[in-house]
Amino acid sequence: MKARILFVCLGNICRSPMAEAVMRHQVELVHLSESIEVDSAGTGDWHLGHPPHEGTRKQLDQHLISYQGMKARLVTTGDFETFDYIVCMDTNNLRDVRKLLSKAEGEGERTRLFTFMELLPDKGMADVPDPYYDGNFSFVYELVESGCKELLKRVRADLKLV
Ligand code: 4NP
């Protein structure tokens, strides 16, 4: 059994690529790359084909986490067939992904769709704040690192790999 995880944000250059890279790194550290695949996508098309934002790259560089080859892409209805978990970085992304899902007839039945901050209920935050606007990439990194640890626990339990 394999688990496939897709992180979704607006531009796919700041938050979701950070989550993708951090999650993949955490999966590699516990030698589960054969069982858990990770990707990311955006709901907006302004940055298609672009690498992660400089602020995201800086955080990943500081933590020695690779983002090699990562490029922004749009979330598609096909993603509901491919991915077991679609994790939206904020509630607007969740609304947009749900809208897309309503157009994808018969797909997405097995996809678990939720927001990233549902992984960190103690924070009392609905959204991962968008650093594209406030520049606070280090705060987002802290949230992403903690949330990915929780997601890894959840996925391992679902796959019975605990
Ligand atoms: P992200 O941040 O959704 O975390 O990638 C943004 C990136 C780009 C834009 C907005 C948010 N933009 O408007 O171009």
Side-chain angles (χ1 to χ4, degrees):
M1 263 269 286
K2 226 176 197 184
R4 294 184 174 86
I5 302 166
L6 181 71
F7 294 102
V8 175
C9 65
L10 180 57
N12 193 211
I13 54 167
C14 299
R15 295 164 296 171
S16 63
M18 191 188 287
E20 176 189 344
V22 168
M23 188 72 198
R24 186 177 294 116
H25 179 72
Q26 291 185 8
V27 165
E28 281 167 10
L29 288 178
V30 294
H31 309 289
L32 286 176
S33 306
E34 296 292 309
S35 304
I36 302 174
E37 282 179 17
V38 191
D39 196 1
S40 69
T43 59
D45 62 5
W46 309 283
H47 302 281
L48 299 183
H50 293 187
H53 188 284
E54 174 181 16
T56 287
R57 296 201 309 265
K58 189 173 157 207
Q59 289 301 315
L60 296 172
D61 284 337
Q62 279 174 3
H63 294 87
L64 304 177
I65 294 176
S66 171
Y67 46 86
Q68 203 187 356
M70 285 173 50
K71 287 194 187 96
R73 73 163 177 92
L74 273 176
V75 61
T76 68
T77 52
D79 290 325
F80 298 113
E81 281 182 80
T82 307
F83 292 95
D84 307 291
Y85 303 83
I86 297 184
V87 187
C88 297
M89 304 312 283
D90 68 34
T91 41
N92 285 333
N93 309 144
L94 181 69
R95 181 202 59 206
D96 292 340
V97 169
R98 282 214 174 108
K99 248 187 242 165
L100 190 65
L101 179 58
S102 69
K103 292 184 204 147
E105 241 177 272
E107 291 166 11
E109 279 118 13
R110 69 191 173 85
T111 307
R112 296 164 174 92
L113 178 61
F114 51 93
T115 61
F116 193 87
M117 289 311 299
E118 285 175 50
L119 297 161
L120 299 169
D122 294 352
K123 299 275 183 201
M125 294 165 62
D127 300 330
V128 177
D130 197 334
Y132 188 76
Y133 301 111
D134 69 12
N136 202 345
F137 286 86
S138 58
F139 180 59
V140 171
Y141 183 85
E142 282 169 33
L143 292 177
V144 162
E145 188 178 52
S146 307
C148 286
K149 280 187 190 156
E150 293 305 316
L151 182 58
L152 183 54
K153 279 189 217 163
R154 192 182 286 200
V155 173
R156 287 179 79 150
D158 291 346
L159 287 175
K160 306 199 180 354
L161 292 171
V162 189

